[in-house]
């Protein structure tokens, strides 16, 4: 009798759960109890257990009428469970996954990245004018003009909403009365404690317990009325509403803010609003504002919704009934380095580097699912932000039950937030064993999952009502919990040989969203990635987040102190390192001295050239400026048009500032303004639309032709930073030479910037940083195209071109926040490009057998392929990372890298000797040579019989002469 009553009482008391559902003020619980007693004084023939059945009842009285009693049944389980059955579709673990060896080319037609049929002139027709340009030299020091707009928003826009989690015990007096009749003295115990000692005859047991608890969320009041405020652009950071209570930066928060709004007005009225985008917003809920189109979670709202979201270091994918487990839950995958697949070696390249590497898809290591999920399951997303988003799985449309998944780049746990479902934790790799590992924190139940591939994953379950999920291994592919369960389940992978303590300390909380902030003083900037938190331990706990190599290299000393020894491989960004911190602070040196003229890091910008160089430029500049600018810029492609405008802008700048031709420059400037006006007035062949569905500026080309690949997929948000960066650079030059023009065209140019890189939520017309990924440190070019290998970028140099244009336009119009933001993006890009795209011999982040290619080619979230979308020639694959040759080229492309690449590919006798390359790529290669051998590069461009076909449609001989001479050629 010493165990039975105590076990029943314990089980029943644990199983009474208060849930926040409509109910009456009271509830009654009844249960039958079987008790046993034995009499040691009786004879052997009489000594047998006598069973007695009784009924107890308890009355619960609630002050809160939304509470009700929920009864669950818990099963006593072994601390280590091993599967005895399987319901898998195949008998062996699915550990290999699948690979995509082809490249999805939607929106990327096989077209050279510049016009190839540029008409030239043989004689200058440019006539000098008496009105010369009056450039603004250097950074504008005068206060910028203030543009104001009245913005009416909910008052909560300017209010910090603070949430906190509190656990309150509810004293529920539970009296259990059990009457027994015994024939001998009997002692009754519960959990080792004596409840009562009886004599022969009736005995009454009574016990009282208060074991119930309730979790509540407290939040600041939300005011629903609106407030009008005057928002001024271009002013100091202190005027902008902020929810940051404590400054994170050692330089302080009173210096130049890097994330002031560009503007808050609608786009120019010359750009019409158009709905009905070719790609519908699939499954996106509770969002009426701008939607991020180029972020890591994009596959969840496109097409089949079956391709992964690469959250780093994990990937998530909706199983949709696939795999061994036939699950409809969210599959979690992490790929170790030894699981990668590699392409064939390129025998033409020294060292025979592999042509590509790829991480397998479809490996469903652990799946967060529920018994209710099946063929009617729907996937929705919401709260899609710059660093985070939410995915939701519901059993059917309209169901109140669901699993909610916060997706935040760098998260150490994959977290599923369950509402009224029966959890099923599944694996297509098969569970080898499941071990109950105690409670690292009160109310958090830990399980150690060992899979058949030998990998160990940890599971942490926290009930909303304090109930053990009682996870039972029912087959080799399924671990099942109790019905109608609510709470969070967190999954993390244990690196080989690593301690579990870090996960134990960090469980019970998770990131819910991320934010970017930063400040600059002179040539130094600090920026931060910070996260809001959720979970029962959010108030007192600190997040565990994974940082990429370029983050670690720029961490401030305070953040360095938070680095741990835990590491996990990423798909294409080397090894990630776990950091215990709710925010990271990174330091960068800014290229503030970089301007329009040739430049090297650590040196002053070039402001004058030798007389011999000036004479050489004067021989060709007027001729090039006499070309038909309108014919070369008003094309059926925003990309080609922008390259043409930028080309002529560099010619005009060189003539005005470097080659002593101010009157001819003024005449050329007038032609350039007229060419640019076609776009500012939206009169080009395919005018821009303001897409009211996704919220952005897109080409009308695909709307009119039905071809998603028209203009490289611009209508689908492909390549916007590539396309618009050239326009912004051209505008910066024109505005530098004519400040009045800059003010008149500010709205149009700023709209292009806002589409690609809107820095503020106060601007409600565009998403935040559509292209630039502040976690990865570079942009993604892929727009609204579903792809198994995730987002990609082909031209890291044109990524830097956008940041350079942003910097210079900010300088031109006196927007200091914009200028410093462009500087910061350039500094981060230089670090990430050198870490992941341009691989010198010391690179440790890309696979050793791939580094010999020197560039990644197309870098995806899940693979790297040493090709381009338009061909595999060495000059294509290497050269697309060189264009255009601009002052920033020496920042992103180090001398060490350029020398190694040149010797391997383009030196005389090498794989693809530059002297033998034809067409515009020849000019690109020799322009790049100026970084390490400016004299040889200058000699190439200044040769008397220079062939004009060696210039691509976005380049000029005028600029190449100035550029190579400015870097040291004579």
């Amino acid at each position: 009798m010493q165990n039975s009553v105590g076990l029943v009482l314990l089980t029943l008391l644990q199983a009474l759960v208060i849930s926040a559902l409509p109910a009456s003020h009271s509830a009654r619980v009844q249960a039958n109890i079987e008790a046993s007693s034995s009499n040691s004084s009786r004879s052997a023939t009489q000594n047998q257990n006598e069973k007695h059945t009784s009924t107890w009842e308890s009355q619960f009285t609630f002050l809160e009428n939304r509470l009700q009693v929920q009864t669950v049944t818990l099963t006593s389980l072994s601390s280590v469970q091993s599967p005895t059955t399987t319901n898998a579709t195949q008998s062996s673990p699915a550990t290999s996954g699948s690979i995509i060896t082809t490249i999805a080319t939607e929106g990327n037609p096989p077209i050279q990245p510049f016009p190839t049929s540029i008409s030239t002139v043989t004689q200058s027709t440019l006539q000098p004018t008496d009105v010369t340009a009056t450039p603004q030299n250097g950074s504008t020091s005068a206060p910028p003009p203030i543009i104001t707009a009245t913005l009416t928003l909910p008052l909560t826009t300017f209010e910090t909403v603070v949430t906190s989690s509190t656990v309150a015990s509810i004293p529920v007096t539970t009296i259990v009365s059990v009457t027994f009749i015994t024939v001998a003295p009997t002692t009754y115990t519960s959990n080792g404690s004596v409840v009562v000692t009886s004599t022969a005859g009736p005995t009454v047991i009574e016990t009282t317990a208060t074991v119930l608890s309730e979790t509540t969320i407290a939040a600041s009041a939300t005011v629903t009325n609106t407030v009008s405020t005057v928002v001024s652009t271009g002013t100091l950071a202190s005027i902008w509403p902020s929810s940051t209570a404590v400054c994170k930066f050692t330089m302080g928060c009173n210096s130049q803010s890097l994330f002031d709004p560009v503007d808050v007005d609608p786009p120019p009225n010359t750009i019409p609003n158009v709905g009905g985008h070719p790609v519908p917003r699939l499954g996106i809920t509770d969002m009426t504002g701008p939607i991020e189109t180029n972020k890591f979670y994009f596959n969840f709202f496109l097409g089949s919704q079956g391709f992964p979201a690469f959250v780093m270091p994990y990937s998530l994918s909706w199983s949709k009934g696939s795999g061994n487990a036939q699950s409809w839950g969210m599959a979690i995958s992490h790929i170790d380095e030894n699981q990668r697949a590699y392409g064939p070696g390129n025998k033409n390249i020294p060292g025979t580097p592999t042509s590509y590497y790829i991480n397998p898809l479809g490996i469903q290591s652990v799946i967060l699912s529920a018994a209710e999920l099946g063929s009617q399951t729907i996937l929705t997303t919401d709260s899609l932000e710059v660093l985070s988003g939410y995915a939701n799985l519901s059993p059917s449309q309209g169901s109140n039950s669901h699993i909610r998944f916060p997706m935040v780049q760098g998260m150490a746990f994959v977290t599923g937030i369950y509402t009224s479902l029966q959890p099923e934790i599944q694996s297509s790799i098969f569970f080898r064993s499941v071990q109950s590992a105690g409670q690292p924190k009160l109310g958090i139940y830990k399980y150690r999952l060992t899979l058949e591939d030998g990998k160990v994953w940890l599971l942490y379950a926290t009930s909303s009502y304090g109930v053990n999920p009682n996870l039972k291994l029912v087959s080799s592919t399924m671990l099942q919990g109790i019905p109608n369960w609510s709470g969070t389940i967190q999954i993390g992978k244990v690196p080989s040989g690593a301690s579990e303590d870090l996960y134990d300390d960090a469980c019970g909380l998770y990131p819910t969203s991320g934010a970017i902030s930063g400040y600059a003083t002179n040539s130094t900037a600090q920026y931060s990635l910070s996260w809001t938190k959720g979970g029962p331990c959010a108030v007192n706990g600190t997040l565990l987040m994974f940082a990429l190599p370029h983050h670690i290299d720029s961490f401030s000393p305070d953040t360095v102190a938070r680095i741990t020894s835990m590491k996990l491989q990423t798909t294409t960004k080397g090894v990630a390192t776990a950091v215990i911190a709710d925010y990271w602070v990174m330091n960068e040196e800014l290229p503030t001295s970089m301007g329009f003229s040739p430049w090297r890091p650590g040196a002053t910008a070039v402001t004058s050239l030798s007389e011999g160089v000036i004479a050489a430029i004067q021989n060709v500049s007027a001729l090039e400026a006499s070309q038909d600018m309108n014919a070369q810029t008003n094309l059926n492609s925003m990309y080609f048009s922008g390259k043409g405008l930028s080309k002529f802008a560099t010619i005009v700048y060189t003539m005005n500032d470097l080659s002593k031709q101010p009157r001819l420059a003024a005449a050329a400037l007038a032609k350039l303004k007229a060419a640019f006006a076609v776009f500012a007035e939206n009169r080009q062949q395919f005018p821009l639309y303001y897409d009211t569905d996704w919220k952005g500026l897109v080409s009308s080309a695909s709307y009119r032709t039905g071809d998603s690949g028209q203009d490289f997929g611009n209508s689908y948000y492909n390549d916007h930073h590539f396309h618009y960066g050239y326009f912004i650079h051209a505008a910066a030059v024109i505005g530098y030479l004519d400040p009045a023009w800059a003010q008149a065209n500010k709205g149009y140019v700023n709209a292009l910037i806002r589409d690609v890189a809107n820095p503020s939520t106060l601007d409600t017309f565009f998403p935040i940083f559509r292209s630039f990924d502040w976690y990865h440190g570079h942009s993604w070019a892929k727009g609204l195209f579903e792809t198994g290998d995730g987002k990609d970028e082909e031209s890291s140099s044109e990524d830097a071109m956008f940041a350079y244009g942003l910097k210079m336009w900010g300088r031109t119009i006196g927007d200091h926040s914009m200028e410093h933001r462009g500087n910061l993006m350039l500094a981060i890009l230089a670090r990430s490009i050198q870490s992941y795209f341009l691989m010198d011999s010391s690179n440790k982040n890309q696979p050793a057998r791939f580094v010999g290619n020197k560039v990644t080619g197309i870098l995806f979230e899940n693979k790297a392929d040493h090709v381009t979308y338009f061909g595999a020639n060495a000059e294509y694959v290497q050269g697309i990372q060189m264009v255009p040759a601009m002052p920033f080229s020496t920042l992103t492309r180090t001398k060490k890298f350029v020398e190694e690449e040149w010797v391997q590919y383009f030196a005389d006798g090498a794989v693809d000797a530059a002297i033998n390359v034809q067409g515009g790529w020849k000019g690109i290669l020799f322009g790049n040579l100026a970084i390490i051998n400016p004299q040889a590069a200058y000699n190439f461009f200044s040769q008397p019989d220079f062939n004009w076909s060696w210039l691509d449609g976005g380049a000029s001989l005028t600029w190449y002469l100035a550029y190579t001479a400015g870097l040291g050629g004579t």
Side-chain angles (χ1 to χ4, degrees), residues 105-112 707-713 718 869-870:
T105 58
E106 295 90 346
N108 297 97
I111 301 173
Q112 292 281 316
D707 178 6
S708 63
Q710 187 72 40
D711 197 5
F712 301 93
N718 270 17
Y869 282 111
F870 51 89

Side-chain angles (χ1 to χ4, degrees), residues 389-539:
Y390 276 88
N392 310 282
L393 290 177
S394 300
S396 60
Q397 189 73 43
S399 173
N400 292 324
S401 301
H402 57 261
I403 314 175
R404 187 161 169 78
F405 299 91
M407 303 178 293
V408 182
Q409 290 171 297
M411 60 190 189
F413 295 104
V414 176
T415 301
I417 306 169
Y418 284 72
T419 299
S420 302
L421 292 169
Q422 182 173 14
E424 289 184 347
I425 314 305
Q426 298 169 285
S427 175
S428 288
I429 296 179
F430 295 175
F431 294 110
R432 178 179 297 171
S433 68
V434 174
Q435 180 182 1
S436 177
Q439 296 186 50
K441 297 178 182 177
L442 184 63
I444 300 179
Y445 298 88
K446 176 182 175 182
Y447 295 81
R448 187 175 298 107
L449 315 178
T450 303
L451 306 185
E452 282 296 345
D453 61 1
K455 309 295 173 61
V456 177
W457 297 71
L458 300 179
L459 182 154
Y460 299 86
T462 309
S463 170
S464 299
Y465 312 122
V467 177
N468 187 332
N470 205 220
L471 297 176
K472 179 180 180 181
L473 189 60
V474 298
S475 75
S476 63
T477 60
M478 184 184 297
L479 187 64
Q480 191 174 65
I482 60 177
N484 200 30
W485 190 82
S486 296
T488 61
I489 294 179
Q490 296 182 279
I491 303 292
K493 183 180 179 181
V494 182
S496 178
S499 169
E500 299 175 9
D501 293 345
L502 286 174
Y503 281 130
D504 289 349
D505 292 340
C507 69
L509 68 156
Y510 48 85
T512 58
S513 63
I516 314 153
S517 58
Y519 292 86
T521 299
N522 299 322
S523 61
T524 302
Q526 289 187 316
Y527 74 103
S528 173
L529 302 182
S530 59
W531 300 276
T532 56
K533 299 180 291 185
C537 301
V539 174

